[in-house]
Amino acid sequence: MADIEIIGCESGGYRPALHFGAWRIAFLTFAQRFSDITYLERHKNTDEAFVLLKGSAKIYIGEEMECYVMVPNKIYNVKRGVWHNIKVSCDALVLIVENADTSKENSEYMDVTN
């Protein structure tokens, strides 16, 4: 067994990369569903943390869709139960940390119009 695991980023939207115990780390790159905000989501059991590594991204928070322009290398922790979604540029790379069991079964979704 190796003492280190090295995982690269694949393109094409949300990609879980590592599961360990109660948490999951994923990469997010551009995909059509992250190019415009058509829905918000909220997770019943977990916060969700986002870190912009490159490119540009915006996080929309709450039913009012308050916009936060992300700054690279800062952690944006969306609290459990808060409506949110993210919009990314074509060259964006975002790291996401959340509970490993975060799924459609313990999340809610709301359609929005821009």
Side-chain angles (χ1 to χ4, degrees), residues 2-34:
D3 291 333
I4 187 170
E5 183 176 6
I6 300 171
I7 302 167
C9 174
E10 297 179 23
S11 62
Y14 175 82
R15 300 278 187 226
L18 178 66
H19 293 83
F20 184 80
W23 51 271
R24 168 174 57 217
I25 298 175
F27 291 112
L28 180 90
T29 60
F30 180 82
Q32 192 60 42
R33 76 179 220 194
F34 299 112

Side-chain angles (χ1 to χ4, degrees), residues 7-9 13-18 23-29 48-54 57 59 70 72-77 86 88 92-98:
I7 302 167
C9 174
Y14 175 82
R15 300 278 187 226
L18 178 66
W23 51 271
R24 168 174 57 217
I25 298 175
F27 291 112
L28 180 90
T29 60
E48 185 174 17
F50 299 84
V51 180
L52 177 64
L53 301 176
K54 72 175 189 173
I59 293 182
M70 295 181 72
N73 306 315
K74 292 196 181 282
I75 298 170
Y76 294 80
N77 188 44
I86 186 170
V88 300
L93 176 58
V94 177
L95 185 74
I96 299 175
V97 180
E98 61 191 348

Side-chain angles (χ1 to χ4, degrees), residues 26-114:
F27 291 112
L28 180 90
T29 60
F30 180 82
Q32 192 60 42
R33 76 179 220 194
F34 299 112
S35 66
D36 199 14
I37 303 297
T38 59
Y39 68 94
L40 296 174
E41 64 183 32
R42 65 180 172 187
H43 309 300
K44 298 176 187 177
N45 300 333
T46 183
D47 290 5
E48 185 174 17
F50 299 84
V51 180
L52 177 64
L53 301 176
K54 72 175 189 173
S56 61
K58 297 176 182 176
I59 293 182
Y60 294 84
I61 301 295
E63 292 184 47
E64 304 79 21
M65 293 182 55
E66 185 174 353
C67 179
Y68 292 83
V69 177
M70 295 181 72
V71 176
N73 306 315
K74 292 196 181 282
I75 298 170
Y76 294 80
N77 188 44
V78 178
K79 298 294 187 172
R80 176 182 68 193
V82 173
W83 290 109
H84 67 281
N85 206 335
I86 186 170
K87 183 176 180 178
V88 300
S89 64
C90 292
D91 62 342
L93 176 58
V94 177
L95 185 74
I96 299 175
V97 180
E98 61 191 348
N99 282 0
D101 66 351
T102 302
S103 65
K104 290 180 180 180
E105 287 73 33
N106 55 28
S107 300
E108 296 177 316
Y109 301 87
M110 175 175 53
D111 290 331
V112 297
T113 43
N114 296 4

